[in-house]
Amino acid sequence: MPVAFITGATSGFGKAIAISFAAHGWDVIINGRRKERLETLEKEISTTFETKVFTLPFDVRKNDDVQRSISSLPHDWKKIDVLVNNAGLASGLSPIHKGDILDWEIMIDTNVKGLLYVSKAIMPGMVERKKGHIINIGSIAGKEAYAKGNVYCATKHAVDALSKSMRIDLLPYGIKVTAINPGAAETEFSIVRFKGDNEKAAQVYKGYEPLKPEDIADVVFFAASRPDHVVLNDIIITPLAQANTSNFIKKNT
Ligand code: NDP
Ligand code: 8X3
């Protein structure tokens, strides 16, 4: 069975993506920091689908842990067909001059350096096999900046640039690179951004129907399951009520 490696599978998109691959018969390696959630997801997947699951908890920001965890994978799990670089977050929403440096560091370390560390561990095997697919979860915030989004937008612009660069550098090895750039989706994203303020987080999705994790998972699996000669390079997905990072039609609530 083909193997998909999904970072950030304890919640939101990553969890839905892992379930989608498993539902289509793929074996899945699931990552995230919250081990208990990975174990629960492992049980859920293996009792529902005829597929294998390998849990690999680590923090994508810790390069030593990333390299050690990925190189410790058993032989049967080492041939990764699809890597979904999904782990990521926004921390805070402030004008740049009022930004918190710790928030900046968390976002840069997770969204940019974490994605690089994981890719660095997995790309050489794909290059050797001359086969593989890297799916980077960027954001509409990687296409245009929005008020108070500053550093989050910068990290997602970096993901956009890295997807383009990967596509060029990995072209000789037949490795596909897909960037998937969602707009507003209701996950734990805003709860994390607002540091546990559930009410503030819920406000982000009031007055319109946001994307669901499954909407993103459908597109990720569609991209991963195209014929060998077809690559989806770059996709922006928004809810019907969203035109770009800043223009929404919301009903009064
Ligand atoms: P969630 O908060 O629901 O999920 C984020 C996932 O990332 C969790 O599984 C979390 O796991 C994991 N994660 C965060 N930090 C780390 C870390 N240091 N090491 C390992 N895993 C980590 O949010 P989403 O599902 O919405 O976010 C997924 C991706 O989608 C992110 O890259 C986000 O930027 C992007 N995105 C989200 C949009 C949205 O509107 N929701 C729109 C566009 C893009 P754990 O905490 O267990 O480590
Ligand atoms: C998350 C979507 O628009 O809040 O990447 O930045 S947005």
Side-chain angles (χ1 to χ4, degrees):
M1 280 301 143
V3 175
F5 187 127
I6 300 120
T7 67
T10 58
S11 167
F13 299 165
K15 181 176 175 187
I17 293 165
I19 291 171
S20 175
F21 275 94
H24 287 92
W26 288 51
D27 294 334
V28 289
I29 302 170
I30 51 175
N31 155 265
R33 290 164 300 178
R34 287 169 290 181
K35 205 162 172 254
E36 333 70 59
R37 285 207 188 191
L38 288 178
E39 282 159 6
T40 308
L41 180 59
E42 177 184 17
K43 278 198 200 92
E44 184 184 332
I45 290 178
S46 35
T47 52
T48 317
F49 308 111
E50 303 265 317
T51 184
K52 287 190 282 183
V53 187
F54 198 96
T55 61
L56 203 60
F58 60 77
D59 185 331
V60 298
R61 293 171 298 177
K62 298 184 178 159
N63 187 41
D64 288 351
D65 290 354
V66 173
Q67 304 309 322
R68 189 168 354 96
S69 303
I70 295 175
S71 62
S72 76
L73 280 168
H75 181 261
D76 288 356
W77 287 95
K78 278 202 155 68
K79 198 187 71 53
I80 293 157
D81 296 283
V82 172
L83 164 63
V84 185
N85 276 316
N86 164 74
L89 79 177
S91 192
L93 184 72
S94 312
I96 194 151
H97 58 289
K98 293 188 180 162
D100 179 326
I101 288 186
L102 188 59
D103 282 339
W104 296 355
E105 283 171 352
I106 292 170
M107 290 187 277
I108 293 167
D109 288 352
T110 309
N111 301 355
V112 184
K113 291 163 74 179
L115 179 147
L116 283 169
Y117 296 156
V118 173
S119 303
K120 173 80 177 151
I122 292 174
M123 288 184 296
M126 291 182 171
V127 166
E128 203 178 295
R129 292 189 296 279
K130 291 199 162 52
K131 194 169 169 50
H133 192 166
I134 299 174
I135 301 181
N136 291 329
I137 306 298
S139 169
I140 196 162
K143 300 293 185 181
E144 17 155 7
Y146 58 87
K148 303 180 189 174
N150 46 71
V151 177
Y152 178 70
C153 296
T155 64
K156 291 299 185 178
H157 276 71
V159 173
D160 190 52
L162 287 169
S163 298
K164 289 173 182 150
S165 300
M166 285 176 171
R167 197 170 294 124
I168 298 164
D169 294 346
L170 299 174
L171 182 66
Y173 307 101
I175 297 168
K176 301 184 182 187
V177 179
T178 300
I180 296 195
N181 304 289
E186 191 162 12
T187 61
E188 292 178 15
F189 177 84
S190 291
I191 299 171
V192 172
R193 167 171 256 171
F194 298 124
K195 302 171 188 183
D197 185 336
N198 289 310
E199 186 40 46
K200 205 169 172 184
Q203 283 300 329
V204 175
Y205 309 107
K206 287 243 167 83
Y208 68 103
E209 186 176 353
L211 295 169
K212 297 186 288 296
E214 293 71 22
D215 299 323
I216 306 308
D218 284 350
V219 177
V220 171
F221 187 76
F222 181 78
S225 53
R226 293 309 82 215
D228 281 351
H229 68 290
V230 179
V231 190
L232 296 186
N233 287 301
D234 197 39
I235 302 167
I236 297 177
I237 315 162
T238 64
L240 181 59
Q242 180 178 17
N244 54 34
T245 52
S246 310
N247 288 77
F248 285 78
I249 296 291
K250 296 188 186 183
K251 293 192 193 92
N252 290 330
T253 48

